[in-house]
Amino acid sequence: MRDAVRRALEVCPIEVGVAVAGGDWKLTTVWKLSGGPLRFGELQRAVGPVSAKTLTRQLRSLETDGVVVRTVFPEVPPRVTYELTEAGRELAGIAVQLGRWSERFIAPVEASTVSEYGPAS
Amino acid sequence: MRDAVRRALEVCPIEVGVAVAGGDWKLTTVWKLSGGPLRFGELQRAVGPVSAKTLTRQLRSLETDGVVVRTVFPEVPPRVTYELTEAGRELAGIAVQLGRWSERFIAPVEASTVSEYGPAS
DNA sequence: CTGTATCCAACAGGATACTG
DNA sequence: CAGTATCCTGTTGGATACAG
């Protein structure tokens, strides 16, 4: 278990959730994976302007916390896929709600809603 | 509007939500306020081991983003209360869901659930 | 293709002392 | 009481170059 999570456990469940799901790109990553497994490169393009280094670290963190599963195929060129666990699928639902909340209260828009975008195909 | 929010607007609604609600103590603060207005000191004790400096900054950020309202009473000693806007009340619901999610998938427990704790009285 | 190593700037958050 | 000012450490995240 990661230190950040262990520390949050001493405080309250909400902080545990923040320790696991907080940080740039994490929830968007989970959301993009809710359409099914994606390779590293596909994921990077789908998530947005995230560096490989950061995406890798966030994915490792999510893997440690039991949100995603990483599968390495012993091929050349290498192929690695990421998919959600049950915890990840549940978290994706919360991510969508947060996206809708921000559309409603922070940046009201008519088009380009998270509801319409959907996860990466 | 804060820079972090403006930058997230270029990416996706979920990242906007993270920009507003992400960061230690913010969601717990919102949750504790869901029981009604609290003074600064009450809030600090309710949230947990957060420094005054950090809590102040998070509250200012939440105020700028339209999640909380800060009210100063011209008295001696000074009294300042914080309360949720409608956006804040909606966000508190998501915070509770995140807390329940972490209880279910990260740190399963029988007692001491976020559901039982409730906001500060 | 999927990363890692290194360097760097910016930010987060605690501790302490202090103010109106 | 409700902060602010200062100093400090650790973390975050991009850019670039490189590796298997």
Side-chain angles (χ1 to χ4, degrees):
Chain A
M1 177 168 296
R2 294 183 306 117
D3 279 357
V5 176
R6 200 191 320 278
R7 266 179 267 125
L9 281 170
E10 304 298 314
V11 183
C12 95
I14 292 176
E15 287 305 311
V16 175
V18 172
V20 172
D24 295 353
W25 311 117
K26 265 187 180 177
L27 281 182
T28 299
T29 298
V30 168
W31 171 54
K32 291 292 185 182
L33 286 174
S34 63
L38 289 176
R39 301 180 56 165
F40 182 84
E42 295 172 325
L43 196 47
Q44 184 173 13
R45 283 187 296 275
V47 166
V50 58
S51 67
K53 170 188 161 183
T54 297
L55 182 58
T56 298
R57 185 153 35 82
Q58 303 292 53
L59 284 168
R60 293 286 190 281
S61 168
L62 290 170
E63 187 189 9
T64 300
D65 294 337
V67 174
V68 306
V69 172
R70 178 173 180 263
T71 306
V72 181
F73 296 85
E75 307 170 357
V76 178
R79 179 160 61 105
V80 177
T81 66
Y82 295 87
E83 63 187 314
L84 297 182
T85 61
E86 191 201 343
R89 289 188 292 274
E90 295 287 329
L91 186 58
I94 296 178
V96 168
Q97 288 184 59
L98 185 64
R100 288 192 182 136
W101 176 86
S102 86
E103 287 177 339
R104 186 170 161 205
F105 294 105
I106 306 296
V109 289
E110 283 125 57
S112 305
T113 70
V114 69
S115 328
E116 290 166 10
Y117 272 144
S121 54
Chain B
M1 177 167 296
R2 294 182 306 119
D3 279 358
V5 176
R6 200 190 321 278
R7 267 178 266 124
L9 281 170
E10 304 298 314
V11 182
C12 95
I14 292 177
E15 287 305 311
V16 175
V18 172
V20 172
D24 295 353
W25 312 117
K26 264 187 181 177
L27 281 182
T28 299
T29 298
V30 168
W31 171 54
K32 291 293 184 181
L33 285 174
S34 63
L38 289 176
R39 302 179 58 163
F40 182 85
E42 296 172 325
L43 196 47
Q44 185 172 13
R45 283 186 295 275
V47 166
V50 58
S51 66
K53 170 189 161 184
T54 297
L55 182 58
T56 299
R57 184 155 35 80
Q58 303 292 53
L59 284 168
R60 292 285 190 283
S61 167
L62 290 170
E63 186 188 10
T64 300
D65 293 336
V67 174
V68 306
V69 173
R70 177 173 180 265
T71 307
V72 181
F73 296 85
E75 307 171 356
V76 178
R79 180 160 61 106
V80 178
T81 67
Y82 296 87
E83 63 186 316
L84 297 182
T85 61
E86 190 200 343
R89 288 189 293 273
E90 294 286 331
L91 185 58
I94 296 178
V96 168
Q97 289 184 58
L98 185 63
R100 289 191 182 138
W101 176 86
S102 85
E103 287 177 338
R104 186 170 161 205
F105 294 106
I106 306 296
V109 288
E110 282 125 57
S112 304
T113 69
V114 68
S115 329
E116 291 165 11
Y117 271 144
S121 53

